[in-house]
């Protein structure tokens, strides 16, 4: 089996048996390559009490199809799955896909922001306002993502998708009467799903430590990190709502409609969905999170967790696990197994240290994994062996982790993951597979696949739109930058988009909306709920001003422009 050590401009190749630890040890010597020491969330920085591992509620989710077969996590080959490294032709326009750019060295350096076109001009969107502000008919090239409608329609009624299909399939329905018609001229996708983040930190810029670490506990104890995180630590008690809402607004601006890792606060229930809390999912909550690590779970808590996993009260146990590259990080998986908590409910966040035999165990248990390659490489010079995980049947999703060490948004993380895949596992991570890892696969990892992750009737009306330049629709999303996002809708409510779209919508949909400048163009963001309590009435401008009152260097909503 091949293993690559990442984190330097040149990738070193070694051959060994599956479980030989060939990862480069930490010598403590400063690393000179760019962006190699950025850090992420520390459990010791949080002011909230330790997560006991118990779910916030025990309501049984009757909407989940528990009889459905498990997703193996292995990418399936079909005619619609266009490999990233092969030029092709598409049917609607005859525009050849240009060859991909050369691979970048696998360091922590972010991918360049660039706009990709395949020779077709984008068509400007148009809006015909209807008399029913709760109904929208969107037209464009639709990626569900399992299938593509070259000239398709999505009908939204209330907070749900009513119909998805080719032209005429939805507009002919009685439910489409009096709907606002948005001819996007673009590509329509499910809203993107960020399966792991630390949202309240995402007003902070990158932290460059200048060295690599062996595990997450090392950088959490570093003096430089302590200094960096002080503005968060000293202000979170007073300003957590503003911190979290700013982080969610940044996610929305990049097409993300669901983000795991936010606080369970009423004030945040105006933007992205939070999958681990029932408040955004009809009160259904069968999730528990543990950011402190498996070592914090004692025997009694482990037994209680396992009982709830077995009787169905707990279907998703999200635990930081094996984040590092040393034996102590790898031993956390053994601790998980010893405590009898490796089950189909287990979601392992990071798993950077895991070896092939451990992926085999995880796959046999039908456990799931969240991958954050940019943060891994920045902190440890290496990342999770995704080839091993997928081939062993582990379902994998992709997520940025947080802004101090991960990518600034999920679109940048997609491009970073594509580059890592091309370097380390050529041909494994097609653009289609990457898109699935932030949509349908991510929804399955979070056990919310009956509600989000797919454009289908009965799912929540969470979607995003980018320009259609004639490229392969999967590659188009992986190539997209935050400045390309033209419309984002959550639960049937337009929350963000081009001014030309948003200002043409029925006036009743624009309460609490405000202009925002993104890379030189005017957008409209709907953050405030006028008259609401618990700070839900704050505008984006007020939130930003509040954060800048104690930290002038707040990370911009879209920090990098093409």
């Amino acid at each position: 089996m091949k293993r690559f050590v990442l984190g330097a401009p040149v990738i070193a190749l070694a051959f060994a048996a599956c479980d030989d630890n060939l990862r480069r040890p930490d010598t403590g010597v400063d690393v000179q390559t760019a962006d190699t020491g950025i850090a992420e969330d520390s459990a010791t920085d949080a002011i909230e009490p330790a997560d006991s591992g118990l779910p916030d509620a025990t309501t049984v989710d009757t909407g989940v199809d528990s009889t459905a077969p498990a997703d193996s996590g292995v990418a399936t080959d079909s005619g619609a799955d266009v490999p990233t490294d092969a030029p092709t032709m598409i049917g609607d326009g005859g525009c050849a896909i240009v060859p991909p750019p050369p691979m970048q060295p696998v360091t922590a350096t972010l991918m360049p922001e660039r706009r990709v076109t395949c020779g077709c001009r984008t068509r400007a969107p148009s809006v015909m306002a209807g008399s029913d502000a709760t109904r929208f008919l969107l037209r464009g090239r639709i990626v569900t993502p399992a299938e593509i409608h070259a000239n398709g329609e999505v009908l939204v009624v209330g907070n749900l998708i009513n119909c998805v299909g080719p032209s005429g399939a939805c507009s002919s329905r009685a439910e489409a009467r009096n709907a606002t018609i948005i001819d996007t001229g673009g590509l329509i996708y499910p809203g993107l799903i960020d399966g792991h983040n630390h949202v309240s930190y995402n007003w902070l810029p990158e932290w460059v430590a200048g060295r690599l670490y062996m595990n997450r506990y090392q950088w959490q104890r570093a003096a430089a990190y302590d200094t960096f995180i002080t503005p968060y630590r000293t202000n979170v008690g007073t300003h957590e709502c503003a911190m979290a809402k700013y982080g969610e607004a940044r996610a929305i601006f990049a097409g993300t409609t669901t983000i795991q890792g936010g606080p369970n606060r009423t004030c945040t229930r105006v933007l992205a969905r939070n999958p681990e809390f029932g408040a955004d999912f009809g009160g259904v909550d069968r999730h528990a999170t543990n950011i402190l690590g498996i070592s914090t779970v004692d025997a009694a808590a482990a037994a209680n967790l396992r009982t709830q996993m077995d009787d169905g009260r707990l279907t998703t146990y999200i635990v930081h696990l094996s984040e590092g590259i040393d034996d102590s990080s790898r031993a956390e998986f053994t601790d998980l197994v010893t405590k009898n908590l490796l089950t189909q409910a287990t979601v392992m966040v990071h798993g950077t240290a895991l070896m092939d035999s451990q992926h085999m165990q995880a796959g046999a248990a039908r456990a799931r994994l969240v991958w954050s390659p940019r943060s891994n490489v920045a902190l440890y010079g290496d990342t999770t062996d995704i080839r091993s995980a997928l081939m062993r049947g582990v379902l994998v999703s992709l997520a940025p982790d947080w802004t101090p060490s991960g990518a600034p948004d999920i679109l940048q993380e997609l491009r970073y993951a594509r580059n890592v895949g091309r370097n380390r596992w050529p041909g494994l991570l097609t653009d289609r597979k990457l898109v699935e890892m932030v949509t349908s696969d991510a929804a399955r990892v979070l056990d919310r696949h009956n509600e989000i992750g797919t454009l289908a009737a009965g799912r929540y009306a969470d979607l995003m739109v980018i320009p259609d330049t004639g490229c392969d629709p999967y590659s188009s999303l992986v190539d997209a930058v935050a400045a390309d996002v033209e419309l984002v809708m959550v639960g049937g409510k337009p929350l963000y988009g081009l001014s030309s779209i948003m200002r043409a919508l029925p006036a009743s949909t624009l309460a609490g909306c405000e202009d925002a400048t993104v890379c030189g163009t005017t957008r409209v963001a709907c953050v405030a709920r006028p008259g609401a309590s618990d700070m839900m009435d704050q505008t984006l401008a007020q939130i930003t001003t509040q954060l800048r009152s104690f930290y002038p260097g707040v990370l911009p909503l879209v920090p990098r422009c093409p």
Side-chain angles (χ1 to χ4, degrees):
M1 176 178 155
K2 300 178 182 178
R3 283 197 179 277
F4 294 83
V5 179
L6 309 184
V10 178
I11 302 175
L13 174 64
F15 298 88
C18 291
D19 282 354
D20 286 352
N21 180 11
L22 298 176
R23 303 178 190 271
R24 186 167 295 162
D26 179 19
T27 62
V29 178
D30 288 348
V31 177
Q32 301 300 320
T33 51
D35 295 325
T36 52
I38 307 167
E40 69 130 306
D41 189 15
S42 164
T44 59
D45 296 326
I47 64 167
E48 60 271 356
D51 192 322
S52 66
L54 302 180
D56 298 308
T58 57
T59 307
V60 176
D61 184 358
T62 58
V64 176
D65 181 7
S66 59
T67 63
D71 191 320
S72 68
V74 180
T76 55
D77 189 17
S78 72
D81 190 356
V82 181
T84 61
D85 294 332
T88 189
M89 302 290 288
I90 61 175
D92 54 335
C95 305
I97 293 180
V98 297
M103 290 186 295
Q104 303 293 317
V106 182
T107 69
T109 303
L110 291 169
M111 298 294 99
E113 302 282 278
R114 64 189 185 96
R115 285 198 164 105
V116 178
T117 181
C118 296
C120 295
R121 292 187 302 171
T122 59
R123 184 160 51 87
S126 62
V127 178
M128 182 181 298
S131 58
D132 189 336
T134 67
R135 301 181 183 223
F136 298 90
L137 180 70
L138 293 90
R139 291 172 171 154
R141 192 149 58 120
I142 297 169
V143 185
T144 67
E147 60 181 335
I148 299 166
H149 297 288
N151 183 21
E153 297 177 337
V154 179
L155 176 61
V156 173
V157 177
N159 68 341
L160 299 177
I161 296 172
N162 176 270
C163 171
V164 177
S167 179
C170 302
S171 54
S172 60
R173 293 192 171 202
E175 295 90 339
R177 191 173 300 126
N178 300 322
T180 292
I181 300 173
I182 306 175
D183 189 351
T184 69
L187 286 155
I188 305 172
Y189 302 87
L192 307 184
I193 300 171
D194 181 344
H196 168 62
N197 216 304
H198 303 280
V199 184
S200 296
Y201 291 81
N202 286 352
W203 49 276
L204 289 168
E206 294 183 68
W207 174 59
V208 180
R211 56 162 290 184
L212 298 176
Y213 299 91
M214 294 292 283
N215 58 62
R216 69 172 175 147
Y217 307 103
Q218 288 182 338
W219 57 260
Q220 288 173 8
R221 294 190 296 264
Y225 175 72
D226 184 71
T227 300
F228 172 81
I229 212 68
T230 294
Y232 169 86
R233 186 182 291 118
T234 57
N235 290 284
V236 66
T238 305
H239 301 288
E240 185 180 40
C241 282
M243 292 174 177
K245 284 189 288 185
Y246 190 85
E248 289 199 7
R250 292 191 67 261
I252 290 283
F253 277 35
T256 301
T257 56
T258 295
I259 184 168
Q260 187 275 329
N264 192 11
R265 297 283 299 270
T266 303
C267 61
T268 65
R269 290 171 195 150
V270 293
L271 292 167
R273 297 186 190 279
N274 302 110
E276 67 268 51
F277 305 130
D280 291 339
F281 289 90
V284 174
D285 183 4
R286 300 193 301 175
H287 295 60
T289 59
N290 180 351
I291 66 170
L292 301 180
I294 192 64
S295 64
T296 65
V297 182
D298 62 24
N304 188 34
L305 284 166
R306 181 57 193 248
T307 296
Q308 294 186 60
M309 290 176 179
D310 290 342
D311 65 22
R313 284 178 291 158
L314 180 61
T315 63
T316 306
Y317 180 55
I318 304 169
V319 56
H320 274 63
L321 191 79
S322 300
E323 185 189 346
I325 57 173
D326 60 355
D327 289 339
S328 66
S329 299
R330 210 159 8 261
E332 292 181 4
F333 182 87
T334 303
D335 194 12
L336 180 79
V337 173
T338 300
K339 290 173 178 173
N340 204 23
L341 293 178
L342 180 64
T343 75
Q344 62 183 351
T346 308
V347 177
M348 305 173 291
V349 176
H350 294 298
T352 321
L354 299 184
M355 309 303 288
D356 185 66
S357 62
Q358 293 170 317
H359 287 141
M360 188 181 301
Q361 286 181 271
R366 294 163 60 190
R368 296 160 267 167
L369 176 72
V370 183
W371 180 37
S372 298
R374 202 273 171 157
S375 183
N376 297 160
V377 174
L379 292 167
Y380 314 112
D382 201 356
T383 192
T384 314
D385 189 345
I386 294 303
R387 180 183 183 278
S388 170
L390 290 175
M391 298 308 292
R392 297 304 185 184
V394 179
L395 185 66
V396 178
S397 67
L398 177 72
D401 198 0
W402 67 337
T403 58
S405 63
D409 56 63
I410 203 165
L411 295 174
Q412 174 67 236
E413 191 76 17
L414 274 169
R415 292 192 299 285
Y416 190 88
R418 171 206 267 168
N419 190 65
V420 172
R422 287 176 175 173
N423 273 281
R424 186 167 182 179
W425 315 288
L428 177 69
L429 297 179
T430 66
D431 284 354
R432 175 174 176 168
K433 184 60 182 175
L434 289 168
V435 170
E436 291 169 345
M437 290 169 76
V438 296
T439 55
S440 55
D441 284 356
R444 294 188 67 83
V445 166
L446 296 171
D447 192 30
R448 294 294 189 184
H449 52 283
N450 286 336
E451 299 147 309
I452 58 174
T454 303
L455 295 179
R459 302 297 200 276
Y460 283 125
D462 299 353
L463 54 86
M464 56 96 74
V465 178
I466 61 173
D468 188 351
T469 61
C471 299
D472 168 74
Y474 301 109
S475 301
S476 292
L477 185 62
V478 181
D479 282 321
V481 299
D484 290 331
V485 176
E486 296 188 337
L487 179 65
V488 178
M489 184 178 285
V490 179
K493 179 176 173 57
L495 290 186
Y496 172 76
L498 294 173
S499 179
S500 60
I501 294 177
M502 298 292 287
R503 293 299 180 191
L505 299 176
S508 59
T509 68
L510 299 176
C513 301
E514 61 199 290
D515 286 348
T517 301
V518 173
C519 297
T521 63
T522 301
R523 307 297 172 98
V524 174
C526 305
V527 173
R529 289 188 182 175
S533 60
D534 194 24
M535 302 179 73
M536 288 195 294
D537 61 344
Q538 279 187 306
T539 65
L540 185 56
Q542 290 171 333
I543 292 168
T544 305
T545 298
Q546 182 179 341
L547 295 176
R548 287 177 177 164
S549 69
F550 62 85
Y551 193 83
V554 170
L555 185 68
L557 289 160
V558 178
R560 307 176 81 232
C561 295

